[in-house]
Amino acid sequence: RSALLREAGFKLPQASTTCWNYHSRANATITAHFQELRRAMSHIIDNDEDWDGDSYNGAVGLLRRLEDPTFIFLLCLYQKVFVYIDHLYNVLQTKCTSNISICNHEVKLAITNVKSLRNQETVEECMKDAKALNNQAGSGSFMALKLLAFEIIDIIVIQMESRFEDINIFNFVELLDDKQFPAYKSVFPLLKLSALIKRYPYFDSEQLQNELTNVYSDQTKHLPAGLLLKYFMNNGLEKIYQETVRLIRLILTFPVSTVSSERSMSALKRVKTFLRNSMSESRLSNLNTLAIEKSLVNNLSRDDSFKERIIDLFAERKTRQMEFIYKKL
């Protein structure tokens, strides 16, 4: 069956219960190769003697589904929804999750964009797209499809708001949103500061407000949180802006999603093979760290001085049989 689809120039994504965007990729593939998929199902039905019973029955059921006007309409509707959901998925799967303010913004933007689809124009466009896939698809009741589309969009929005409702607790991360620094210079965000102190009372509220006021007033310090921390460290200002540095470190270490931990478990399966089953925990942890941070290691390895430091450190740890450090006699 897969070979038949590959002959038509495509293949369906492999089903996965853990890959969140599987349905999105399946939807996009079916929409892009709708006619080829119909022809493939018809080919199996017409040549039933060459196929087993499961393939024939499956082809009959799938072809009936591909000719269902409601299914085709939903295919086009979800294609529009997945445009925004996929973007949010990609954001949460990347390492930009180190900046929770970006994630907070993207979550709110995705919810707003999905809500914007709840209108009559979206239904009309989906019916038009469905008719382009199959002329019979435009025969459905407009009012029934409109109510169905609105119900689906409402459920998606409610589920997103429920899943990400706790993210509003961390609105105080916007205290270090460099894009809002000019506005904060005029009106200090006291509500966000109060939210921070309420959740993390170990901050010195007055000292932090004074430090942030100076940051907002100095245009050279209008930097993202990570770069602002580097600026303080490089200029010896970490003691002067002690509370701000503490806030930056808090924000940069927020676990926005479980992606990092999931990657760690995947890396552990690759590292701890049968032949490495007896290695010590220390070595296993170090190898796992190298596997997880392989992009960082690749960037560092381009620097010859970094390689020399690693070799020197390895050679100086203990006396070795091979001479790694040559001495002048």
Side-chain angles (χ1 to χ4, degrees), residues 15-34:
S16 173
T17 56
T18 58
C19 189
W20 302 346
N21 68 339
Y22 161 72
H23 296 294
S24 169
R25 291 185 287 114
N27 184 287
T29 302
I30 294 172
T31 304
H33 301 280
F34 188 83

Side-chain angles (χ1 to χ4, degrees), residues 12-14 16 19-32 75 78-90:
L12 291 174
Q14 186 176 1
S16 173
C19 189
W20 302 346
N21 68 339
Y22 161 72
H23 296 294
S24 169
R25 291 185 287 114
N27 184 287
T29 302
I30 294 172
T31 304
L75 197 68
Y78 277 110
Q79 185 75 0
K80 293 182 179 296
V81 172
F82 282 136
V83 168
Y84 306 116
I85 302 299
D86 261 6
H87 175 71
L88 178 61
Y89 168 84
N90 292 329

